[in-house]
Amino acid sequence: MKKLMMIAAMMLMSMGAFAQAQEPGLKSVGVTATEYLDSDSRTSFGAKFQYTLTENFRAEFDFKFYPKKYHTTIWNPTVNVHYLIPIIDKLYVYPLAGVGLWGYTWDYDGHSESESIFTFKAGAGAEYYITEQFKGIFETYYQVAKKGDYKATDPLVSLGVGYNF
């Protein structure tokens, strides 16, 4: 049994060793759809720009827009950092962390209100390269917004596609 476990561990380590590293300077753009996983489920549509800093670190600008629901429109720009971990050829996983703004505009019966709240984001993602240029993206994370007595901790799931250039 010990030999079998050792062989399995060696196989897993070797798969990571043969995966391709990201090239510094690699740029990517993508589109996403994100869903809040709470009782007030909302879907956003977004765009992202990624820039690979080193073989394992990548910076990302992400913007999400939540269409009007219950008289409220939400926008959410964030700046994120990813640490890329090659798993097998064409598959990367990464922890992510970011900061940004969560803003909303509420408009009902001629009255309106707007506010912006500072947010923190932490989670994990995965991307699979369909071709050298196109990739599928999956992310799940928590986003925390706090201002005064107001505090929101929301789990989110995001699916998207990206294009490298």
Side-chain angles (χ1 to χ4, degrees):
M1 186 68 173
K2 288 181 184 178
K3 288 182 182 179
L4 182 60
M5 295 302 283
M6 182 62 93
I7 291 170
M10 296 289 278
M11 287 174 55
L12 286 173
M13 289 188 319
S14 68
M15 283 194 294
F18 290 114
Q20 294 177 346
Q22 294 279 324
E23 291 292 323
L26 180 69
K27 298 176 199 85
S28 179
V29 293
V31 293
T32 60
T34 303
E35 183 75 21
Y36 269 100
L37 299 177
D38 63 1
S39 59
D40 184 26
S41 179
R42 291 187 79 133
T43 302
S44 77
F45 304 98
K48 57 176 60 195
F49 173 77
Q50 300 172 332
Y51 184 81
T52 304
L53 303 168
T54 69
E55 286 184 2
N56 296 99
F57 281 100
R58 175 172 63 200
E60 173 186 76
F61 174 75
D62 185 24
F63 182 84
K64 292 178 180 51
F65 175 77
Y66 296 83
K68 194 172 207 174
K69 183 176 180 180
Y70 306 120
H71 312 285
T72 306
T73 304
I74 300 171
W75 48 271
N76 181 216
T78 58
V79 176
N80 308 308
V81 177
H82 301 164
Y83 181 77
L84 300 166
I85 303 166
I87 300 299
I88 58 173
D89 194 31
K90 300 182 181 183
L91 177 65
Y92 292 85
V93 297
Y94 51 90
L96 65 90
V99 295
L101 291 175
W102 181 82
Y104 73 89
T105 302
W106 178 81
D107 188 11
Y108 181 72
D109 197 29
H111 301 288
S112 65
E113 176 182 320
S114 293
E115 189 167 13
S116 298
I117 301 170
F118 189 69
T119 64
F120 296 97
K121 180 193 240 184
E127 60 188 29
Y128 181 77
Y129 280 82
I130 301 159
T131 68
E132 280 190 38
Q133 282 77 34
F134 288 100
K135 61 186 174 181
I137 303 166
F138 170 79
E139 292 180 347
T140 183
Y141 52 90
Y142 274 90
Q143 189 159 333
V144 178
K146 183 172 180 2
K147 186 171 190 177
D149 292 336
Y150 175 78
K151 181 179 179 183
T153 304
D154 297 313
L156 296 101
V157 170
S158 181
L159 291 174
V161 293
Y163 177 77
N164 292 339
F165 59 96

